[in-house]
Structure formats: structure tokens, C-alpha cells
Amino acid sequence: TTNDNLGEAIQFLRDFDREAAEMCNRVTNSEWKFAINSTEFNKRRMREQQNLASKFECLSWRRAASFDSSTIVDTGIRRQLGRIVEPGRCGLGDDKYAEITHVISLMKENYNNAKVCPYHGPHATAIAAQSANYVTGYATYCDLKLEPDLVQIMETSKVEPELKHYWTAWREKSGPPVKNTFMRYIDLANQAAERHGFNDAGDQMRSVYDDSDFFFTVNDLWTKVQPLYKQLVTFARKGLVRQYGEHVVRRDGPIPAHLLGNMWGQNWRNILDIIRTSPPEMPDITGEMVRQGYTPLKMFQTAEEFFTSIGLPPMAPEFWRNSLLQKSNEVTGNCAASAWDFCNKVDFRIKQCTQVTLDDFINAHHEMTHVQYYMQYSSQPFLYREGPNPAFHEALANAISLCVGGPAHLQKLGLLNTAVSVLNGNTMINIEYLLNLALDKLPFMAFSLALEKWRWYVFEKGPVGMNARWWELRLRYQGIIPPLVRGYEHFDAGAKFHVISDQDYIKYFVATVLQFQIYSELCLASHHVGPLHTCNFYRSREAGRIISDVMQQGASLTSSQLIKLLTRGKTSRLSVEPLLDFFRPLEAWLELQNRDEPVICYFAFTRRFF
């Protein structure tokens, strides 16, 4: 039966607000302990707390679903109830909920435990030789794991047979063993989505983006970016032909996926040295940081000063006392950088095994942006203590990264010592910066879209022919092909963790679009004049007011309402115009570099290259 008692709904949400925050605090504490000290005991305690949280989630879902929200006039109450009822899988019932949890756990376990054999051909990467334990001259332990071994090899090796070996070996170990398990996951996820009022699981995943036409929105956004991306692909392909020869890379065709400096071809920064046409212009920022005596602590103090300079609050004493900002002997867990909200409105932390490098300097600002977001919306009800959609946190953090990682800010800090003013957006330092950033951002957008379009297709149409569909979409959006024939027996999408772990990925596409919108608005507020990528809103209090206004809302506003607030009423929709404006000098430069190259429209092809 449904309950239309408004008073009971209000009391339920009050109770939920308190109990959910307490549960979140217990789970986060257990996850933090395991993250810095990965013992079996801490893992068991973490699993216990996570299981309790799952039970609490489903109990809360049943209670919230019992209210007839159509009779509740108060939109705030109705919206909070909807945020409990619509997501998740609790509509499956206890048995099937336990089954889908178990199915996802099995796939993650296979992924995390997968190991491959080393490559024995000529010029093998030293990483593999060091990681592989040779028993005799003929036998080898196959003990290479994805991280750090395979990731480092794919980033650094220039030996094509070696790259092909590891690319293939990882997909053999990660995909086929869980293919049937993944099919069961599809079935259960779709059943859950239908119980929650959606057509399928893809429809449920898209619902968080507050756009009934979201499927077509992302298509339209990418269509506008694609001309720039094609120029980047053409330029990258030319460099790869020089490196590997036309017998490996066709001058007028798509790029083999194993040559792009990344296991999944989602980030191409590691091939910059291959494709560049002249010696690097950018001075060694990391070396300059070392010479100036930067330490991990100083890097985070510099990040804090950036935020206070635009009017945001400093980090609380608890942050400095509880955060893990550099590697210590006691830390045995994963060193991936992350920001943590302990759900009690006072305890916010960062875990980062910081090295004195430019990348970690930018990461320090990135992670501290997340903490600022936690602090700003901490006064909201628990259900609103997050972004209005999964992309907002990353978008805000990356908008700050665009500022602090740019030549203008580095020159302001005295870390980029050059006689040339970087405010002239067409200098080679600027072009190199933009090229490096484009190799990071644009392939990632294309990969995100291909992955999610594939997943939505599988949820809607079923798993028949899903591997062929995977490569059709990778070709259409990214312009890449597998280095060898792939058949129905393969499951290459399963080589990506987010696929088998049931994690949304289109958020990275949306976050990339949104970060340039945010950056552009902050530059406008700081009265920047000149090419967009030379903007530095450091010390702009007006830019800080906009960031604070957006962050304080949390999820209390919809994403379209928040974009309207961000843009001061100009628009409520995502736009790629700021992204295109940011990269406009690079696009002109790429067109000049590609004037003698065929810019082939092979993105629309499907089976021709298989």
C-alpha cells in the first residue's frame, strides 16, 4: 500500500538524514583504514560495514517507495524521496540483490587478480624483465599485473610486437573468463531498472543527468567536437607512421589501438614524444620545483593559498592532521590520489602519495577542489551532499586544474621561467601545452562516449554480437581498430574496470564538456582578455564567488538549474563552445601541420577495417 501522510514522509527524511550520515561515516572510516593499511582484518571490517550499508539502503528504499509522492505538494520532499527511490537495485528483492552484488564481485575479483606472461621477443621492456621471476632458462612465472606492470609498459614501450603481446594478453585474461557472468549481470540490472520504473538499465543510468534527450544530447555535443578531434587523429597518425611504418599504421586509415600509450587507448599523452615535430619548448617545471625546494606539504599549502586567494576558506586543522599527503612506511594500500568526505561535516581528507612533480602539483589542487566542494555543501541535507549529477565534482576539479596547470599560472608562480610572454597564445610553449592537453582530453571524450553507447546498446538489445558492436563504436567515435582480428568469443569491453564493476562512465564525457564551461565563466568573471587558454583567475574574488555559489547548492538544484546559476542566466544546457574556443589556436596549427595529410572520414565506417 502507498502512504500519503506528509508528516510521516517528513519524519522519515529527518531520520534518514541522521542515520544515513552515521552509516556513511562508519563505512568511510573502514574504507580509509583499508586504503592505507590493506590487511585482511581491515578488508573484512570494511566488507562488514559495506554490507550493513547495503541493507540500510534497501530498508530505506522500501520505506521511501511506500510513500505516494504524487500526492505530496512540497517539491523538496518529493525530490528527496525520488533520490532514494530511483537509483540503485533494491527493487530486485533480497535474493536477486544479493546475486547481482555477488556477480559484480566475481567480475571485479577476476579483473584484480588477472596476471599475464612476459614478452620474450627482442628489445623487451625492462619492467617486464624485472617483474617476471625466471625459474630456469626455459620457465617463467606469469606474474605481470595490470598495475603497475602493464600500465607502465604500455606507457613507455615503443616495441610494437611487445605492445601487441600485452594488449592481447590482458584482454584474454580479463574478458572471456567473465563473459557469461556479465550476461547474467545484464539480465539482473535490467530487471532492477524495470522495478524502479525505467525501460532498461541504460535508461536508469541516463536518468541522473536531468535530460530526457540525453542520449541525443551527447551525440550532438560530440558532433561539434569531431572536426577538431579528426585533426588531432590525423596528426597523431602521421607521427605513428614515422615511428612504426606503414606496414603497421595505414597512412589513410584508423589507428591500431595498442600504439597509443595506454592500455585502453583513452589517453594519448604518452605518445607526445613520438608525434611531436620539433624539440620540446616547455621548460622542465618539475626540475624547477625541486630547485625551489618544493615538498609535498608545500604543494598542498600552495593549493590552499590558491583557494584562499579567490575568497574560499582554508583547510580545517582536521584536514592537516588526518590527511595522508605523502607515502610513509606504514602505508600498504593503494596510492591513487583521492579526496574523502567522512559525512560528519568536519572531517575531510586527501590521500595522495605525492611526489614533487608538476602532475602531482596539479593533482593537489584537483583533490583540494573536491574537499572545498565537500565543505561548501556540508550544511545541505545528506541527500544533497553531492553534485547534481555524477559529472559536477570532476568538472569543478578539472576547471581548477586548467587554471593552475596552464603556462600563465605557472609563470605567475615563478615556475615557468621564459623570456617569452605566454599571454601570447600562439607561442610554441602554448601550442605544446594545448597539444598535450588535447591528447589527454579529446580521446578520453571519444572513449567515454564509445564505451557508454556500447553499454546502453547491450542493455537495450542484449549481448548478441556485443564484441563486434564494441569495435564498431570504437572505430566510429575514436577512429581506432584492434591490432588483430577479434571474434564473438572475445569480450574486449571487459578489459575496462568500469564495465565489469557497474560504474557510470559517461560522467567523464560530461565532465570534460562542463569543465571548460566552468573555466570560461570564471575567466569572464575575472575580466580576462586574450585567448581563453591563457586565462588565470588566481586572486579573482569574483571567480571565487561563482565557485562558492555553485558548490554550496550541492544537489539541491538540478544540473540545468546549476548551469543557469553558473552562467548567470545565459544558458541551462551543456555547451562545447568554450572547449572549442580553448583549443582554437591548436586547431589552426593542426590544420597547417596536416595540410598534406588525408583527413579520412573513416569514423562512419564499420566493418571495412575488420
Coordinates of all heavy atoms in Angstrom, one line a residue, residues 399 402 514-526 528 532 535 537 546 566 570 577-579 581-582:
A399 N 38.3 22.1 -13.8 CA 38.3 23.5 -14.2 C 39.4 24.3 -13.4 O 40.2 25.1 -14.0 CB 37.0 24.2 -13.9
L402 N 42.7 23.3 -15.0 CA 43.0 24.0 -16.2 C 43.7 25.3 -15.9 O 44.6 25.8 -16.7 CB 41.7 24.3 -17.0 CG 41.1 23.1 -17.7 CD1 39.7 23.6 -18.3 CD2 42.0 22.5 -18.8
L514 N 31.8 20.1 -19.4 CA 31.4 21.1 -18.3 C 32.6 21.8 -17.7 O 32.5 23.0 -17.4 CB 30.6 20.3 -17.2 CG 29.9 21.1 -16.1 CD1 29.0 22.2 -16.7 CD2 29.2 20.2 -15.2
Q515 N 33.7 21.2 -17.7 CA 34.9 21.9 -17.0 C 35.3 23.1 -17.8 O 35.7 24.1 -17.3 CB 36.1 20.9 -16.9 CG 36.7 20.5 -18.2 CD 37.7 19.4 -18.0 OE1 38.9 19.6 -18.0 NE2 37.2 18.2 -17.8
F516 N 35.2 23.0 -19.2 CA 35.5 24.2 -20.0 C 34.5 25.3 -19.9 O 34.8 26.5 -20.0 CB 35.7 23.8 -21.4 CG 37.0 23.0 -21.7 CD1 37.0 21.6 -21.6 CD2 38.2 23.6 -21.8 CE1 38.2 20.9 -21.8 CE2 39.4 22.9 -22.0 CZ 39.4 21.6 -22.0
Q517 N 33.2 24.9 -19.7 CA 32.2 25.9 -19.4 C 32.4 26.6 -18.1 O 32.3 27.8 -18.1 CB 30.8 25.2 -19.4 CG 30.0 25.1 -20.7 CD 28.6 24.6 -20.5 OE1 28.4 23.4 -20.4 NE2 27.7 25.5 -20.5
I518 N 32.8 25.9 -17.1 CA 33.0 26.5 -15.8 C 34.3 27.4 -15.9 O 34.2 28.5 -15.4 CB 33.3 25.4 -14.7 CG1 32.0 24.6 -14.5 CG2 33.7 26.0 -13.4 CD1 32.2 23.3 -13.7
Y519 N 35.3 26.9 -16.5 CA 36.6 27.6 -16.7 C 36.3 29.0 -17.4 O 36.8 30.0 -17.0 CB 37.6 26.8 -17.4 CG 38.9 27.4 -17.7 CD1 39.9 27.6 -16.7 CD2 39.2 27.9 -19.0 CE1 41.1 28.2 -17.0 CE2 40.4 28.5 -19.3 CZ 41.3 28.6 -18.3 OH 42.6 29.2 -18.6
S520 N 35.5 28.9 -18.5 CA 35.2 30.1 -19.3 C 34.5 31.1 -18.4 O 34.7 32.3 -18.5 CB 34.4 29.7 -20.5 OG 34.0 30.8 -21.3
E521 N 33.5 30.7 -17.6 CA 32.7 31.6 -16.8 C 33.6 32.2 -15.7 O 33.4 33.4 -15.4 CB 31.5 30.9 -16.2 CG 30.5 30.5 -17.1 CD 29.8 31.6 -17.9 OE1 29.7 32.7 -17.2 OE2 29.5 31.5 -19.1
L522 N 34.5 31.5 -15.2 CA 35.4 32.0 -14.1 C 36.4 33.0 -14.8 O 36.7 34.0 -14.1 CB 36.2 30.9 -13.4 CG 35.3 29.9 -12.7 CD1 36.2 28.8 -12.1 CD2 34.4 30.5 -11.7
C523 N 36.8 32.8 -16.0 CA 37.7 33.7 -16.7 C 36.9 35.0 -17.0 O 37.5 36.1 -16.9 CB 38.2 33.1 -18.0 SG 39.4 31.7 -17.7
L524 N 35.6 34.8 -17.4 CA 34.8 36.0 -17.7 C 34.7 36.9 -16.4 O 34.8 38.1 -16.5 CB 33.5 35.6 -18.2 CG 32.5 36.6 -18.8 CD1 33.1 37.3 -20.0 CD2 31.2 36.0 -19.1
A525 N 34.4 36.2 -15.3 CA 34.3 36.9 -14.0 C 35.5 37.6 -13.6 O 35.5 38.7 -12.9 CB 33.8 35.9 -13.0
S526 N 36.7 37.1 -14.0 CA 38.0 37.7 -13.6 C 38.4 38.7 -14.6 O 39.6 39.2 -14.5 CB 39.1 36.6 -13.5 OG 39.3 36.0 -14.7
H528 N 39.2 38.4 -17.8 CA 40.3 38.0 -18.6 C 40.2 38.6 -20.0 O 39.1 38.6 -20.6 CB 40.4 36.5 -18.7 CG 41.4 36.0 -19.7 ND1 42.7 36.1 -19.6 CD2 41.1 35.3 -20.9 CE1 43.3 35.5 -20.6 NE2 42.4 35.1 -21.4
L532 N 41.5 32.2 -24.6 CA 40.9 31.6 -23.3 C 42.0 30.7 -22.6 O 42.0 30.8 -21.3 CB 39.7 30.7 -23.7 CG 39.0 30.0 -22.6 CD1 38.5 31.1 -21.6 CD2 37.8 29.2 -23.1
C535 N 44.1 32.3 -19.7 CA 43.4 32.8 -18.5 C 43.9 32.3 -17.2 O 44.2 31.1 -17.1 CB 41.9 32.6 -18.6 SG 41.0 32.8 -17.1
F537 N 42.6 32.9 -13.3 CA 41.7 33.6 -12.4 C 42.2 33.5 -10.9 O 41.5 33.8 -10.0 CB 40.3 33.1 -12.5 CG 40.1 31.6 -12.4 CD1 40.1 30.9 -11.2 CD2 39.9 30.9 -13.6 CE1 40.0 29.5 -11.2 CE2 39.8 29.5 -13.6 CZ 39.8 28.8 -12.3
I546 N 31.6 32.9 -7.7 CA 30.8 32.0 -8.5 C 31.0 30.5 -8.1 O 30.1 29.7 -8.0 CB 31.2 32.2 -10.0 CG1 30.8 33.6 -10.5 CG2 30.7 31.1 -10.9 CD1 31.2 33.9 -11.9
L566 N 25.5 29.1 -12.8 CA 26.9 29.3 -13.2 C 27.1 30.3 -14.3 O 28.0 31.2 -14.2 CB 27.5 27.9 -13.6 CG 28.8 27.9 -14.4 CD1 30.0 28.2 -13.4 CD2 29.1 26.6 -15.1
K570 N 22.6 32.8 -18.7 CA 22.8 32.8 -20.2 C 22.3 31.4 -20.8 O 21.8 31.4 -21.9 CB 24.3 33.0 -20.5 CG 24.8 34.4 -20.2 CD 26.1 34.6 -20.9 CE 27.2 33.8 -20.3 NZ 27.6 34.2 -19.0
E577 N 31.1 25.0 -26.9 CA 31.7 26.2 -27.4 C 33.0 26.7 -26.6 O 34.0 27.0 -27.2 CB 30.7 27.3 -27.6 CG 29.6 27.1 -28.6 CD 30.1 26.6 -29.9 OE1 31.1 27.2 -30.4 OE2 29.6 25.7 -30.5
P578 N 32.9 26.7 -25.3 CA 34.2 27.1 -24.6 C 35.3 26.1 -24.8 O 36.5 26.6 -24.9 CB 33.7 27.0 -23.1 CG 32.2 27.3 -23.1 CD 31.8 26.6 -24.4
L579 N 35.0 24.8 -25.0 CA 36.1 23.9 -25.3 C 36.7 24.2 -26.6 O 38.0 24.2 -26.8 CB 35.5 22.4 -25.2 CG 36.5 21.3 -25.5 CD1 36.0 20.0 -24.8 CD2 36.7 21.0 -27.0
D581 N 36.7 27.0 -28.2 CA 37.4 28.3 -28.1 C 38.8 28.1 -27.4 O 39.8 28.7 -27.9 CB 36.5 29.3 -27.3 CG 37.1 30.7 -27.3 OD1 37.8 31.0 -28.2 OD2 36.7 31.5 -26.4
F582 N 38.8 27.3 -26.4 CA 40.1 27.0 -25.7 C 41.1 26.4 -26.6 O 42.3 26.8 -26.6 CB 39.8 26.0 -24.6 CG 40.9 25.7 -23.6 CD1 41.1 26.5 -22.5 CD2 41.9 24.7 -23.9 CE1 42.1 26.2 -21.6 CE2 42.9 24.5 -23.1 CZ 43.0 25.2 -21.9

